[in-house]
Amino acid sequence: MQIDLFDTELNQILAAVSYADYKSKLAAYDCSRCTLCHSRTNIVIDRGNPSAPILIVSERPGVNEDRVGKPFVGRAGELLDKMLKSIDLDPNEHVLITNVVRCMPETDRSPTKDEVDACFPFLVKQIELVAPRVIMLLGAVAVKWVDPSRSDIKMEKEAGKFFTLPRFPGVQLMVMYNPAFLLRDPRKKANTWEHLKALRNYLHEEKLV
Ligand code: SF4
């Protein structure tokens, strides 16, 4: 846990003992830990169920998410919900959706290392409080920031695969194509259906849904 001796509000967020406490304190925090604070309207924290067995992590909010204050709204969000429903997962019950950074960049770009480093304690705290059994990483950017040893990840090879990380014991991480990418390259939808079926099999084997 990363504590800043001079920032009481930050320390209270990182010391929260319940998800509701974490979320309400983070939503009220006028965070300026990175330059993304200048381009955001809302800090985008989550969508879904904080007691769900699956945490979905994407890279960053976009314009629609910034306006509404929730991740994955708009066309990519609709596709994500469709993907989940195709394997009988309810987006409001079986998953919680978030990003590696909580604020929208000023342009359509991926977050930088400095931005991710500044925001990562909020994701780690979120994972601690949600205690998911599966973390689904949407796209190469989410994968490389959650697991920097995969910074040269090739999605063609890694999508659909499970792996573990010592820092998140008891959690299976899974790589999945980002729905925003699938909208641009629908040829990958067939592969993604196979990946979703692999996830469904794992969830059933482990009796997680
Ligand atoms: S992206 Fe994260 S660290 Fe940066 S300003 Fe937003 S909440 Fe703070």
Side-chain angles (χ1 to χ4, degrees):
M1 187 183 299
Q2 192 170 315
I3 294 288
D4 181 333
L5 288 176
F6 303 101
D7 190 335
T8 309
E9 280 179 277
L10 172 67
N11 296 341
Q12 286 176 346
I13 296 165
L14 298 181
V17 291
S18 74
Y19 192 81
D21 191 31
Y22 159 85
K23 184 173 176 179
S24 65
K25 286 194 165 80
L26 179 53
Y29 180 48
D30 188 19
C31 184
S32 57
R33 285 170 54 80
C34 80
T35 52
L36 295 184
C37 66
H38 302 302
S39 45
R40 72 152 185 261
T41 309
N42 290 299
I43 293 182
V44 177
I45 301 172
D46 68 11
R47 170 163 79 84
N49 176 9
S51 304
I54 306 166
L55 180 68
I56 298 178
V57 181
S58 188
E59 60 173 272
R60 47 96 183 167
V63 174
N64 292 328
E65 289 77 16
D66 177 68
R67 181 172 42 81
V68 176
K70 287 180 185 293
F72 272 99
V73 296
R75 286 180 66 221
E78 283 170 20
L79 179 56
L80 176 60
D81 288 0
K82 249 190 203 173
M83 289 163 59
L84 296 170
K85 287 175 186 170
S86 75
I87 54 168
D88 301 321
L89 295 178
D90 181 337
N92 296 314
E93 181 188 348
H94 296 117
V95 303
L96 186 75
I97 306 168
T98 191
N99 289 295
V100 287
V101 295
R102 273 131 203 77
C103 300
M104 175 188 78
E106 69 292 352
T107 58
D108 187 13
R109 64 163 177 84
S110 296
T112 64
K113 182 175 186 314
D114 284 351
E115 291 158 358
V116 174
D117 285 348
C119 210
F120 211 69
F122 298 132
L123 178 62
V124 172
K125 185 67 191 177
Q126 202 168 18
I127 293 171
E128 178 194 318
L129 291 170
V130 173
R133 295 287 304 280
V134 175
I135 297 178
M136 185 198 289
L137 299 169
L138 293 180
V141 173
V143 176
K144 83 171 184 179
W145 290 126
V146 171
D147 180 8
S149 75
R150 290 167 193 258
S151 56
D152 57 353
I153 180 174
K154 301 278 180 292
M155 283 299 287
E156 289 80 7
K157 279 191 183 166
E158 296 298 322
K161 291 189 179 160
F162 288 90
F163 66 101
T164 57
L165 285 176
R167 75 178 302 178
F168 302 124
V171 179
Q172 285 288 330
L173 295 103
M174 185 190 197
V175 183
M176 191 74 76
Y177 280 111
N178 194 306
F181 172 76
L182 293 174
L183 288 172
R184 295 194 298 273
D185 187 355
R187 291 170 302 173
K188 296 290 191 298
K189 282 186 179 173
N191 303 54
T192 303
W193 172 232
E194 296 304 317
H195 306 157
L196 287 165
K197 284 195 288 186
L199 173 62
R200 179 176 63 189
N201 291 343
Y202 178 78
L203 295 171
H204 286 180
E205 276 165 22
E206 296 293 317
K207 297 185 172 42
L208 294 177
V209 291

